[in-house]
Amino acid sequence: MPPDPQQNDSHRQEAKPELLVIPPLRARVNAAGAFLLSRRFISGMDAYARYWPGDVSVLLRQGEFEQIALHPVEIHPSEASFDIQLLPENPEQRADRIRSAAVVLIGLIREDDVEVAELCAKLGVPLVCISVNSLQARKQQIDPAVRNPLRRLWRKCKQVRLEWLFRRAVRIAAGVQCNGTPTFAAYRKLNPRPMLFFDGRTTHDMLVSDDILKKRTEELLAGRPLRLAFSGRLIAIKGVDHLPLIAAELDRLGVPFVMDICGGGELEDQLASQIHALKLSDRVRLRGVLDFREELIPLISQQADLFVCCHRQGDPSCTYLETMGCGTPVAGYENDAFRGVVEESGVGWLSPVDNWKKLAELIAELHADRTVLAEAAFAAVAFASRHTFEETMKKRVAHLLACATDSRPAGVQGPCTPAATVTTGSRISATEPDWSRERCRRWWDPSRRLLKSIRCYQRWRNRGIVGRLLCIWSVLWHRFWSVIAAADIPLDCQLGGGLMIPHPNGVVIHPEATIGPNCLVFHQVTIGTRGPRQGAPTIGGHVVIGAGAKILGPVSVGDHARIGANAVVISDVPPGAVAVGVPARIVSKGAADED
């Protein structure tokens, strides 16, 4: 008989809670009992050990070491801040080892990861999945690696089957942590506890200082040549073959610049030949592989005004956050992952994938208006400071704890309720969306149907032929429900999850406005600008906006704030405040906890 989940829960509460990590890595133990692991993996496990209030253990599968990351090091279990073991091959021993954990953390990479998920569900042990690459990104990785079209098609079919298995694992898990917006968009409605995070190695002490950033932007505005940079693996999927072409086009457009290319890879010799052939050796420099902390971060922080990113695939590269932490904004190809970073941060510039001329023209436009670059530099580091390595790990551990203490065992399906997903105490979350608020209660549900058409359009745009067909269908439904609801909410609005619009009549939202999670908007509300170049509002999470209220211009409304009926907001509203009147004034610093 399978073990009683309630007995497992009581056992886990009595013992010191254990976080059990089963990564998609293969490892071999040497004669001295040491494991060969990547330095980055070890630093991540050290962070779990630092923030988790109990024991942290990692179970590695036996096999040859896989160089998923650079800088492999040997580490003995006695030297680590966490326990290192091999995953038992015997099914009964494996089950006994997993049964003692408070929560199990796995990465979704291979089919055997799904087997672990199914075992956790059988044992009643809470499981959290980490999702990195979307199905679209995994397909994009196949194209440059496989030349034979039949073999390429076969591998893509295997990825489609693997995606089906991943989605099953996400459904039976207690939570899912999504690295980047592509997988978050794919899985957030399949799991009761979805979490979005942005991976990166930048710690708080590595963020660019105010003095360095101020000096760099002053030099930028003084008119010296534009300083461009790229760092990463020099391979085709990263689009590095376009960097010399972009440089040549900038030269033709008369843009004064220098470009540093950092990294190594199979295209390094080809790049050197391209640079020489285009006579760009005096302005485009190959820097090689640099030490991340001691060389790369200082270079980007002090000597780069703009990062040029030609990534063709939508993988959640840590490059975006690490570069922004240097106060260097990014201009690059509009892959799924980078588009999500731009939408979340409001910083960066997008260009069509593989159109290097368009990207060069975009850089030339930024050169012509350098104040935009200077402002974006400060906005970039502000966003990165909220997503440093420490802050991200703290949030991920808090998410793991919430999943470990969930009363429902893994594998139990049910509605995604606020109590189970997004509340802290009695307060509705301003950061974790409660998607049950948007779930249609019946077919005739105009406001939720309108929001559903917007979500569907944003999910499927730029996703091939099937995506285009679904987008056309979403546009038709959006127009239908917009007429029925008498609301003007554009398809490209930046709307946080869990938005409620009980009576959508007369609601108008500017396409450049940003609205956080779990907001409540009543009828006749206008969220817009005060002029063609005035900017749009930024509204935090769990904000209640009363009937007839107007929020106009580049104002910021903090989390848990309340806007009174018919108020006209033209200045910032702090978090938790209540604003009423024309023009709106702050009458209270407190906000209620429930909608």
Side-chain angles (χ1 to χ4, degrees), residues 173-238:
V176 58
Q177 298 185 354
C178 301
N179 182 8
T181 58
T183 57
F184 184 70
Y187 298 147
R188 64 186 180 185
K189 294 185 180 180
L190 302 179
N191 187 274
R193 287 184 181 273
M195 175 190 175
L196 170 65
F197 73 96
F198 295 102
D199 189 26
R201 295 170 289 176
T202 304
T203 55
H204 186 76
D205 63 301
M206 295 164 67
L207 295 172
V208 65
S209 67
D210 291 339
D211 292 339
I212 290 176
L213 189 56
K214 183 178 179 181
K215 178 182 177 182
R216 202 186 76 204
T217 53
E218 287 175 351
E219 292 174 352
L220 172 68
L221 297 175
R224 55 146 172 75
L226 193 62
R227 297 186 292 191
L228 309 175
F230 172 88
S231 69
R233 289 178 292 162
L234 304 185
I235 57 177
I237 198 66
K238 300 297 184 182

Side-chain angles (χ1 to χ4, degrees), residues 196-503:
L196 170 65
F197 73 96
F198 295 102
D199 189 26
R201 295 170 289 176
T202 304
T203 55
H204 186 76
D205 63 301
M206 295 164 67
L207 295 172
V208 65
S209 67
D210 291 339
D211 292 339
I212 290 176
L213 189 56
K214 183 178 179 181
K215 178 182 177 182
R216 202 186 76 204
T217 53
E218 287 175 351
E219 292 174 352
L220 172 68
L221 297 175
R224 55 146 172 75
L226 193 62
R227 297 186 292 191
L228 309 175
F230 172 88
S231 69
R233 289 178 292 162
L234 304 185
I235 57 177
I237 198 66
K238 300 297 184 182
V240 295
D241 52 313
H242 283 182
L243 292 173
L245 301 177
I246 292 171
E249 183 67 11
L250 290 174
D251 183 50
R252 190 187 69 81
L253 294 172
V255 177
F257 75 96
V258 292
M259 179 185 289
D260 289 314
I261 302 175
C262 308
E266 60 192 34
L267 296 184
E268 188 169 358
D269 292 338
Q270 177 184 323
L271 281 176
S273 299
Q274 278 185 285
I275 293 168
H276 179 74
L278 295 170
K279 300 179 180 180
L280 296 169
S281 301
D282 58 329
R283 280 162 290 176
V284 181
R285 299 168 290 197
L286 293 175
R287 294 272 191 168
V289 178
L290 304 181
D291 180 82
F292 179 71
R293 175 182 284 270
E294 302 299 329
E295 297 176 304
L296 182 60
I297 290 297
L299 174 69
I300 303 298
S301 297
Q302 300 172 23
Q303 302 180 37
D305 304 310
L306 181 67
F307 190 93
V308 183
C309 187
C310 301
H311 290 188
R312 294 181 169 103
Q313 71 180 82
D315 67 317
S317 173
C318 58
T319 298
Y320 306 125
L321 265 292
E322 292 167 358
T323 301
M324 294 170 74
C326 297
T328 303
V330 182
Y333 288 157
E334 189 179 0
N335 62 63
D336 290 346
F338 182 42
R339 182 175 64 247
V341 172
V342 172
E343 290 174 350
E344 290 290 326
S345 66
V347 182
W349 299 273
L350 302 167
S351 180
V353 175
D354 275 336
N355 194 331
W356 53 267
K357 281 192 175 182
K358 286 286 187 182
L359 183 52
E361 291 171 0
L362 173 61
I363 296 171
E365 292 175 5
L366 294 172
H367 158 69
D369 187 4
R370 294 190 171 196
T371 55
V372 175
L373 275 175
E375 293 172 356
F378 288 94
V381 72
F383 179 77
S385 67
R386 300 194 296 272
H387 298 275
T388 60
F389 178 76
E390 300 98 331
E391 291 300 316
T392 298
M393 291 304 298
K394 287 178 183 177
K395 293 175 183 177
R396 292 180 65 187
V397 169
H399 178 262
L400 288 168
L401 283 168
C403 294
T405 56
D406 194 342
S407 60
R408 293 174 297 176
V412 176
Q413 296 295 301
C416 176
T417 62
T421 58
V422 297
T423 58
T424 303
S426 62
R427 169 165 283 192
I428 294 176
S429 174
T431 57
E432 296 292 332
D434 175 10
W435 291 100
S436 67
R437 293 159 63 100
E438 292 188 17
R439 186 177 297 121
C440 297
R441 280 18 178 200
R442 53 192 176 276
W443 187 86
W444 190 260
D445 198 346
S447 67
R448 292 187 174 93
R449 292 290 176 185
L450 177 58
L451 288 175
K452 184 176 180 179
S453 68
I454 295 172
R455 304 296 186 195
C456 184
Y457 174 83
Q458 294 179 354
R459 177 181 179 183
W460 289 104
R461 61 183 175 183
N462 300 323
R463 292 201 176 188
I465 296 176
V466 175
R468 285 196 290 270
L469 292 175
L470 289 172
C471 282
I472 292 172
W473 179 255
S474 300
V475 169
L476 294 175
W477 271 113
H478 176 263
R479 292 182 179 178
F480 174 79
W481 289 112
S482 294
V483 172
I484 296 299
D488 183 6
I489 306 177
L491 282 164
D492 54 353
C493 266
Q494 301 177 54
L495 307 176
L499 177 62
M500 290 183 65
I501 311 177
H503 307 289

Side-chain angles (χ1 to χ4, degrees), residues 71 111 154 181 342 344 488 512 550:
H71 310 300
E111 189 169 341
W154 172 247
T181 58
V342 172
E344 290 290 326
D488 183 6
E512 295 180 4
K550 310 292 186 290

Side-chain angles (χ1 to χ4, degrees), residues 53-66:
D55 298 326
V56 176
S57 302
V58 58
L59 296 183
L60 298 168
R61 295 177 176 88
Q62 291 183 339
E64 295 296 330
F65 172 74
E66 300 175 1

